[in-house]
Amino acid sequence: MRRSPRPGSAKSPHKHTSNFYSDNSNSSVSVTSGDSSGQRSAGPGPGEPEGRRARGSSCEPAGSPVASEEQLDLLSTLDLRQEMPPPRVSKNFLSLLLQVLSLLLSLVGDALVIVYREVCSIRFLLTAVSLLSLFLAALWWGLLYLVPPLDNEPKEMLTLSEYHERVRSQGQQLQQLQAELDKLHKEVSSVRAANSERVAKIVFQRLNEDFVRKPDYALSSVGASIDLEKTSQDYEDANTAYFWNRFSFWNYARPPTVILEPDVFPGNCWAFEGDQGQVVIRLPGRVQLSDVTLQHPPPSVAHTGGANSAPRDFAVYGLQVDDETEVFLGKFTFDVEKSEIQTFHLQNDPPAAFPKVKIQILSNWGHPHFTCLYRVRAHGMRTSEGAGDSATGEPH
């Protein structure tokens, strides 16, 4: 039985169609044979046109339509684009380009270094030239103004006798100057010695007089003493063990004779109980009393931080020979805010001589238990034994 020809195959004007389909069928067969499962792919691969699948299939039906001319041209163009290899850049060209760039960079760096060195050398030259010009200008100014001009006129020549005469006159002038200097030195030395002696004398005098330039007749060293019968009792601290205080070398309380000593330092005082008491001083003779001086350390050196145990208001009395007649000599106030040494003028007019003087403390500066009395001084003029009999005074 004879096969009938495919419809339209004899009349198709494109004779190269059989070759195109044969190529595509070969490629389709080769792809199918490379599959490990041995089955033909069910659909086109990615990017594969439908015409190729239709042409490569061996079991296509006899009545399938023939592809048109535009489709064949499009398929050929796509196949050519897929088969063209991608463009590759030559490695030799890239290496050559990198070498050229590195060479240019090295040249530019060398040029910059050369320019920097030139600039530095020019700056150094300018600095050196400036310093040299300043040095030359200073040297020229020194030569012009500091060096005296040279005398162009020739000096007269001196004879030997004239030269000796000038030397002798200058020697005499030097001797006169030396004598004046020696005289001035002696005067300065004498003034210094006189001032030193004067200053030393004043210092020693002030130290000896303790800033009170009056004789003190209430010193134990000149014969003064304490009349214990007419003097208040010593203060006894209740917190101190009386057993040990009975022994003199364990008793820390100072006796009233301490007020007759010149040693004044904190704690070296006579203390009596309360804020009122009295002490009677037996003078070395009959003394026309004119002043009394009380001394108490300032609050700044006190161990208790104040001077509330110092006496405040006190009165002074002169006692006659019979120890009964008392003459009132004045009432005063010792101010602890003032100097530590305070002198008070007595009301002894007309002046009367007394063998004893009584200091009666009327109040203190606030201490509730005791009052401390430091040094007491009695000033005046000592008289003979008979001169005091005619002395009068206001009895107390």
Side-chain angles (χ1 to χ4, degrees), residues 99-170:
Q99 292 178 1
V100 171
L101 290 176
S102 61
L103 181 60
L104 289 176
L105 290 176
S106 63
L107 291 176
V108 171
D110 295 340
L112 291 177
V113 170
I114 292 172
V115 170
Y116 176 77
R117 289 178 179 176
E118 291 295 332
V119 170
C120 291
S121 62
I122 293 173
R123 186 181 299 172
F124 174 76
L125 290 176
L126 291 175
T127 305
V129 170
S130 301
L131 293 176
L132 183 60
S133 60
L134 289 175
F135 175 76
L136 293 176
L139 183 61
W140 180 254
W141 180 81
L143 292 175
L144 288 178
Y145 293 97
L146 299 180
V147 178
L150 299 176
D151 296 335
N152 295 327
E153 298 180 0
K155 295 183 179 179
E156 58 180 355
M157 300 297 294
L158 298 176
T159 60
L160 186 59
S161 59
E162 292 175 350
Y163 180 76
H164 284 296
E165 184 65 25
R166 288 192 178 185
V167 170
R168 188 178 61 83
S169 63
Q170 290 178 359

Side-chain angles (χ1 to χ4, degrees), residues 4-300:
S4 61
R6 186 174 298 178
S9 59
K11 295 181 182 180
S12 178
H14 303 283
K15 298 179 179 180
H16 62 279
T17 305
S18 58
N19 296 329
F20 179 77
Y21 280 119
S22 62
D23 295 334
N24 290 334
S25 62
N26 294 331
S27 63
S28 178
V29 172
S30 62
V31 171
T32 306
S33 62
D35 194 354
S36 60
S37 62
Q39 295 180 358
R40 187 172 297 172
S41 176
E48 183 180 0
E50 285 184 24
R52 176 174 295 183
R53 185 187 64 179
R55 289 191 298 269
S57 177
S58 58
C59 53
E60 62 179 350
S64 61
V66 182
S68 62
E69 184 179 356
E70 289 92 7
Q71 292 178 354
L72 294 175
D73 293 336
L74 180 60
L75 289 174
S76 62
T77 305
L78 292 174
D79 293 337
L80 291 175
R81 289 182 179 178
Q82 291 179 357
E83 292 176 0
M84 289 178 61
R88 297 182 180 178
V89 183
S90 177
K91 294 183 179 180
N92 296 329
F93 176 76
L94 290 178
S95 61
L96 181 61
L97 181 60
L98 291 176
Q99 292 178 1
V100 171
L101 290 176
S102 61
L103 181 60
L104 289 176
L105 290 176
S106 63
L107 291 176
V108 171
D110 295 340
L112 291 177
V113 170
I114 292 172
V115 170
Y116 176 77
R117 289 178 179 176
E118 291 295 332
V119 170
C120 291
S121 62
I122 293 173
R123 186 181 299 172
F124 174 76
L125 290 176
L126 291 175
T127 305
V129 170
S130 301
L131 293 176
L132 183 60
S133 60
L134 289 175
F135 175 76
L136 293 176
L139 183 61
W140 180 254
W141 180 81
L143 292 175
L144 288 178
Y145 293 97
L146 299 180
V147 178
L150 299 176
D151 296 335
N152 295 327
E153 298 180 0
K155 295 183 179 179
E156 58 180 355
M157 300 297 294
L158 298 176
T159 60
L160 186 59
S161 59
E162 292 175 350
Y163 180 76
H164 284 296
E165 184 65 25
R166 288 192 178 185
V167 170
R168 188 178 61 83
S169 63
Q170 290 178 359
Q172 291 178 356
Q173 292 177 0
L174 290 176
Q175 290 178 358
Q176 292 177 359
L177 290 176
Q178 185 65 33
E180 292 179 358
L181 287 175
D182 293 340
K183 182 179 179 181
L184 183 61
H185 180 69
K186 290 180 180 179
E187 291 178 356
V188 171
S189 300
S190 62
V191 169
R192 287 181 179 177
N195 289 335
S196 300
E197 292 178 358
R198 182 171 174 272
V199 170
K201 184 177 180 181
I202 292 174
V203 169
F204 283 115
Q205 185 178 2
R206 291 296 179 86
L207 290 176
N208 292 331
E209 295 177 357
D210 201 1
F211 303 102
V212 181
R213 305 184 64 180
K214 294 179 180 180
D216 182 14
Y217 293 100
L219 274 174
S220 60
S221 59
V222 298
S225 60
I226 300 295
D227 189 352
L228 297 177
E229 294 181 357
K230 296 181 178 297
T231 302
S232 301
Q233 295 295 324
D234 301 344
Y235 172 72
E236 295 181 356
D237 191 1
N239 297 326
T240 307
Y242 293 103
F243 177 77
W244 296 111
N245 283 336
R246 292 177 183 177
F247 299 95
S248 60
F249 54 85
W250 285 103
N251 190 3
Y252 294 100
R254 307 295 294 167
T257 54
V258 73
I259 67 174
L260 308 179
E261 301 294 334
D263 299 331
V264 177
F265 51 87
N268 189 32
C269 65
W270 171 60
F272 58 88
E273 187 173 0
D275 59 349
Q276 293 183 355
Q278 68 180 19
V279 60
V280 176
I281 302 174
R282 188 182 295 109
L283 301 176
R286 294 193 178 188
V287 180
Q288 294 180 355
L289 297 173
S290 60
D291 306 275
V292 293
T293 298
L294 266 65
Q295 182 175 355
H296 195 280
S300 58

